[in-house]
Amino acid sequence: MARISVFGIGYVGVVSAACLAKDGHTVIAVDVDPGKIKSINDGLSPIVENGLDALIAEVVAAGKLTATNDVQYAIDNSDASFVAVGTPSAPDGSVGLTYVEGVCRNIGAALANKSSFHSVIIRSTIVPGSCEATCIPVLEKASGKVAGTDFGMGYYPEFLRESTAIEDYYDPGLIVFGALDKKTGDFLTALNTGLNCKIHVVDLRTAEMVKYTSNTWRAVKVTFANEIGNIAKASGLDGQTVMEILCSDEKVAMSKYFMRPGFAFGGSCLPKDVRALRYLANSTGTNAHLLNAVIEANEAQIQRAEAMVEASGAAKVGFVGISFKPGTDDLRESPLAELAARLIAKGVEVGIYDPYVFEAYAANNSTAGRGNDVIPDLKDRMVEDLDHLIGDSGAILVGNFYKNTVGSLEKAAQTRPVLDLTRMKRDMVSEGQYQGICW
């Protein structure tokens, strides 16, 4: 078993650290946030994710997972480091490498004091060429050592989906990594041996590009389905029926999950990665018509939902769901959060029912409301009881699907506008008080 340090106790970092510890590895999680460090060391999850609370409690109790802010300690007591910090978009749309550079600089300084071989493996989402142009030079300058010779270097992207991250970790659909040196490549191969998935070993740039291609492809599919849905509805047709027939062709290599007309895409990956890939294309003089259209069309889908709310005439709107995806408390670039913020700015009163975001606040998680930078007084807008939200709202906007809400929402559509962005029931189409965004 290996000794591994994981830098960044965010979504990817904490899930990876917990699963590595579950597999028997000794793991040190590293972060600058004292709240996250305390949560881990107390055996608690700093985020809301299915199954993560119990998993962290188990591996911390077993002594397999600890957390610290001491970089030198983490490097001295591990043989490989995963870098899993965020890469938010820079103001010009390019990938933001500030956090990655900072961590690489700190790791490099610690490597300068270590004589034994150590592998540095980037898991953060970075555009092709970032390892070679940014990470390696920073590590080499800070350490005084040569990548691939004096220390190992690899890029190992993750493909975890929020709300199903632990399941995805043990049953991956894709494994790909690049390594400068044999030791790092052998380490990553051994780490993934036994999983029911082909291991793709490539160069660093290809591994970086696969990650962006994967995320951008998902973004393109969401937008494509929405456009078909909008056109179909305007023609008196059901967009979801059209797409279901298309998806019945099982020979087409696509995920049906994204091929459902509905609301805009959001989250911590798709929006920023489309922006970054578009910036990369422009920087190489390559036309990126579709990437430009993806961003434009996704914004138009938010405007479409905004127009639906305005057409309802409601002075108070109850949101069912505010996170970017059901089953998570993550609000990073949530289109629902953006929609709510726009309505609030126009004087519309907004109440919110979202069991996962509410849970995070109720548990006083240090990361409650994580990713929200647009909704004022979010905590005060949260409503625990759905029926209370319905009774107190002039219109209901269904943003995320929660099975236990369907009965109440279907009944509500008999007395007030119910605007559905996710399709709570397959047999419901726009009629009377009920309006679906694409059906």
Side-chain angles (χ1 to χ4, degrees), residues 1-2 4 15-27 55 58-59 64 156 169-170 190-193 195:
M1 293 297 165
I4 303 169
V15 172
S16 298
C19 290
L20 287 166
K22 173 68 173 177
D23 291 340
H25 305 291
T26 300
V27 182
L55 181 55
E58 175 188 342
V59 295
K64 288 295 184 180
Y156 173 37
Y169 184 92
Y170 289 107
L191 203 65
N192 289 287
T193 298
L195 294 176

Side-chain angles (χ1 to χ4, degrees), residues 41-79:
N41 288 330
D42 288 344
L44 303 173
S45 172
I47 66 170
V48 177
E49 175 66 32
N50 289 334
L52 192 56
D53 286 315
L55 181 55
I56 288 180
E58 175 188 342
V59 295
V60 170
K64 288 295 184 180
L65 174 62
T66 58
T68 184
N69 64 357
D70 190 332
V71 175
Q72 190 68 58
Y73 171 83
I75 295 299
D76 289 343
N77 290 277
S78 61
D79 303 308

Side-chain angles (χ1 to χ4, degrees), residues 151-164:
F151 67 89
M153 187 70 206
Y155 182 69
Y156 173 37
E158 52 78 28
F159 299 96
L160 306 177
R161 298 169 298 172
E162 296 203 34
S163 80
T164 59

Side-chain angles (χ1 to χ4, degrees), residues 381-424:
R381 298 178 186 278
M382 301 303 301
V383 177
E384 182 176 13
D385 183 73
L386 176 62
D387 290 333
H388 175 75
L389 179 81
I390 293 173
D392 198 38
S393 301
I396 301 297
L397 185 135
V398 186
N400 286 337
F401 175 78
Y402 295 108
K403 188 175 182 180
N404 64 309
T405 67
V406 173
S408 295
L409 292 172
E410 189 173 16
K411 182 179 179 181
Q414 300 173 11
T415 60
R416 71 203 67 216
V418 171
L419 314 174
D420 194 351
L421 309 184
T422 187
R423 201 164 207 174
M424 57 184 182

